[in-house]
Amino acid sequence: MTQVRVRFAPSPTGFLHIGGVRTALFNWLYARQQQGVFILRIEDTDQSRSTDESIQAIIDGMKWVGLDWDEGPYRQTERMDLYRSHAMRLLEAGRAYWCVCRAEELEARRKEAEAKGLSPRYDGRCRSLRIMNPAGDAALRFKAPQEGQTVVEDLIKGKIVFDNVILDDLIILRSNGYPTYNFSVVVDDALMNITHVVRGDDHLTNTPRQVPIFEALGFPVPHFGHLPMILGADKTRLSKRHGATSIMAYRDMGYLPEAMVNYLVRLGWSHGDQELFTREELIEKFSWKHVQTSAAVFNPDKLLWMNAEYIKTSSPASVAQALVPLLEQAGLGNDVRTVTAEWLARLVVLVKERAKTLVEMVEWVKPYFGPVAPFEEEAAKKFLSPAAAPVLSKLVQRFEAFPVFSKSEWETAFKKSVEEEGLKMGQLAQPVRVALTGRTASPGLFEVMEVLGRERTLLRLRKGIERANTSPS
């Protein structure tokens, strides 16, 4: 059997769009499932829009979501001689011709055709002139078939039939010597032995233009598949007005790459009612027949839910590792460098049920760095009053009697303080919570103490007592 070879071929004209990531992901899953080859190719022949920064953004985005490639990244600008040599092959075989029509002439004819209600395609007037050595500017056009049909057995949409009468004689080499998209992509796919071309269905109209070029060059035609678009909630094409569309924006917003991969796969593909998949399960269960034929609607709420699930179920160590850059951005870099990876993982366990994104998690974990936590003023005024100082002092004395932290012993001591003082649990718990975290909301008190450790717990309680003693009554 022929080895499966697929490719992801973005144009580097901006950030890496989540729709592009989904296309790359479906190709990657198929390659991995079939023990095939996944190729990254940068289609950068549009010199006016392609930038090195965008190429780096593509590479960074692919690496972040874990879509590794087996070959590449290839760049089309490094393959120009290949396109020109194959264009000349078509010219010599009589399957292409020089067009010397000027741009203003073509525009005038286009407007005239539209005014008459005709197709604005090229009228073919240079087709039979057999110009071999044009003087001045000339573009090379492909002689498209004008009769019959081009039939595509689409992997996703099924059989699609195109009437060749609608085909235009496409320019394959511009007058500046640069190849056009529809030509360079055919040469690349052919020379890279691509077996399956799977891309967005905005490319569907390109397919009947490209198939005849494969055939004219004597290359086998790959299998084609066209993925439906991703729409916003208003059923229009996903754009910035619906929210972030750059894959790296989701990294910066605190999403886990595993959650993004899972969500984007489910955005147009299903396997029964299962929602959450490991990477291995996706590779095992993926199939083209379960890719939906209609457009998928991007649902930010579902993505947020999925991310929260991944935060809860992923290994604390991996979540902690992903959290570090965001902690550094929040100004906690020095603090992060003073703690161990194991401690940071324990901190993740403490707060993971409360955070839907890593950005939210940063806010939850801030109080646990450093010797003491700053008090939220309203919380301190309410719970660290002079009346709280004596009971907190007695609690500290009880805790100091234990040379090491013991959750069960400290919890027993806490309950004794509550009973002896005739308090309700919350009447002591809230002042302790504010003393330890500076806030009125936190995970369980003794889990907090366990993460802080004995010495910092006692230090923070003493700082709480100081604040209580200096608060106005």
Side-chain angles (χ1 to χ4, degrees):
M1 291 179 63
T2 302
Q3 184 183 41
V4 167
R5 292 176 62 87
V6 296
R7 47 65 160 187
F8 175 53
S11 298
T13 57
F15 55 76
L16 181 56
H17 193 281
I18 56 174
V21 175
R22 186 187 67 164
T23 298
L25 177 57
F26 282 14
N27 279 281
W28 183 89
L29 286 172
Y30 187 59
R32 295 293 171 260
Q33 183 191 77
Q34 300 294 319
Q35 289 81 52
V37 176
F38 177 66
I39 296 168
L40 178 60
R41 186 173 77 221
I42 307 297
E43 298 190 340
D44 60 344
T45 55
D46 186 344
Q47 293 296 286
S48 64
R49 300 175 63 211
S50 298
T51 67
D52 288 340
E53 291 79 11
S54 294
I55 293 174
Q56 192 59 51
I58 290 167
I59 292 171
D60 291 344
M62 294 285 284
K63 287 182 176 179
W64 182 63
V65 291
L67 299 184
D68 57 324
W69 51 92
D70 305 301
E71 293 182 16
Y74 297 110
R75 292 183 61 168
Q76 287 189 325
T77 48
E78 297 171 352
R79 299 167 59 83
M80 302 301 289
D81 289 343
L82 290 171
Y83 309 132
R84 290 170 185 144
S85 66
H86 283 79
M88 291 304 104
R89 275 183 55 201
L90 290 176
L91 178 65
E92 292 163 6
R95 299 301 302 271
Y97 61 94
W98 290 111
C99 175
V100 294
C101 298
R102 297 193 304 273
E104 56 270 23
E105 294 173 339
L106 295 171
E107 178 63 16
R109 284 183 230 149
R110 186 187 67 80
K111 289 181 177 178
E112 182 181 346
E114 286 181 341
K116 294 178 180 178
L118 302 174
S119 171
R121 64 196 181 107
Y122 179 63
D123 60 8
R125 65 181 57 193
C126 291
R127 186 178 178 117
S128 59
L129 296 182
R130 298 183 180 177
I131 302 168
M132 295 308 294
N133 296 297
D137 291 341
L140 193 65
R141 289 184 181 271
F142 175 67
K143 281 187 179 178
Q146 297 182 315
E147 298 176 346
Q149 297 175 323
T150 296
V151 180
V152 176
E153 295 288 349
D154 195 280
L155 295 166
I156 297 160
K157 297 178 178 295
K159 185 176 182 177
I160 307 174
V161 178
F162 301 92
D163 290 324
N164 290 338
V165 70
I166 68 168
L167 299 181
D168 202 353
D169 283 356
L170 293 176
I171 292 175
I172 56 176
L173 276 187
R174 298 184 179 93
S175 57
N176 63 4
Y178 267 72
T180 56
Y181 166 78
N182 276 304
F183 184 63
S184 59
V185 73
V186 168
V187 173
D188 282 337
D189 286 340
L191 298 184
M192 294 177 186
N193 298 311
I194 300 300
T195 59
H196 297 73
V197 173
V198 180
R199 53 195 179 185
D201 64 5
D202 52 331
H203 285 285
L204 185 58
T205 55
N206 289 325
T207 302
R209 294 174 169 85
Q210 293 169 7
V211 168
I213 300 176
F214 277 103
E215 294 171 340
L217 287 169
F219 291 122
V221 178
H223 300 285
F224 286 93
H226 294 88
L227 297 167
M229 286 190 297
I230 300 175
L231 305 180
D234 58 359
K235 303 298 175 69
T236 61
R237 186 167 185 168
L238 190 68
S239 65
K240 289 182 180 178
R241 72 175 180 277
H242 299 112
T245 56
S246 161
I247 191 64
M248 297 306 274
Y250 286 91
R251 179 200 64 179
D252 297 340
M253 291 190 294
Y255 287 80
L256 292 174
E258 297 83 4
M260 291 302 302
V261 165
N262 196 149
Y263 181 73
L264 289 174
V265 169
R266 287 288 290 111
L267 201 61
W269 174 85
S270 62
H271 182 79
D273 295 326
Q274 187 172 346
E275 289 285 357
L276 302 177
F277 297 82
T278 65
R279 189 77 58 116
E280 292 72 26
E281 284 178 316
L282 288 174
I283 293 171
E284 176 193 347
K285 299 178 187 302
F286 182 77
S287 69
W288 297 119
K289 67 179 181 180
H290 290 138
V291 176
Q292 68 186 43
T293 57
S294 57
V297 176
F298 188 83
N299 184 338
D301 292 334
K302 186 168 183 180
L303 172 59
L304 189 61
W305 167 83
M306 189 168 282
N307 197 61
E309 291 300 307
Y310 268 87
I311 286 175
K312 292 175 189 174
T313 58
S314 297
S315 75
S318 66
V319 176
Q321 187 177 16
L323 186 65
V324 168
L326 294 172
L327 290 170
E328 292 174 342
Q329 289 173 24
L332 294 169
N334 290 333
D335 295 296
V336 169
R337 285 185 279 276
T338 65
V339 301
T340 65
E342 291 76 17
W343 183 85
L344 196 55
R346 287 169 55 206
L347 186 56
V348 166
V349 172
L350 185 67
V351 302
K352 66 179 183 177
E353 297 289 335
R354 296 167 176 265
K356 294 181 178 178
T357 69
L358 297 183
V359 169
E360 287 183 12
M361 187 174 282
V362 167
E363 293 305 309
W364 275 107
V365 302
K366 275 182 180 179
Y368 301 91
F369 291 94
V372 296
F375 298 121
E376 291 181 351
E377 197 55 34
E378 289 301 313
K381 283 181 180 178
K382 185 173 181 179
F383 294 107
L384 296 179
S385 64
V391 68
L392 287 175
S393 296
K394 290 180 182 178
L395 182 64
V396 167
Q397 291 173 5
R398 288 183 187 275
F399 287 169
E400 286 175 333
F402 303 107
V404 295
F405 174 81
S406 165
K407 184 177 178 182
S408 60
E409 290 177 334
W410 285 42
E411 191 167 359
T412 299
F414 182 91
K415 289 177 179 177
K416 283 183 179 179
S417 292
V418 169
E419 291 171 7
E420 291 177 4
E421 298 296 327
L423 301 172
K424 293 179 180 178
M425 190 69 72
Q427 289 176 300
L428 181 56
Q430 281 302 83
V432 170
R433 180 170 282 109
V434 174
L436 294 179
T437 69
R439 303 173 178 181
T440 57
S442 79
L445 279 183
F446 300 100
E447 287 77 15
V448 169
M449 294 177 190
E450 194 169 28
V451 167
L452 289 174
R454 180 181 187 275
E455 298 308 318
R456 278 202 300 163
T457 295
L458 293 173
L459 173 64
R460 291 185 178 204
L461 287 172
R462 293 185 192 111
K463 288 292 182 182
I465 293 167
E466 287 180 16
R467 172 59 192 258
N469 282 324
T470 58
S471 291
S473 55

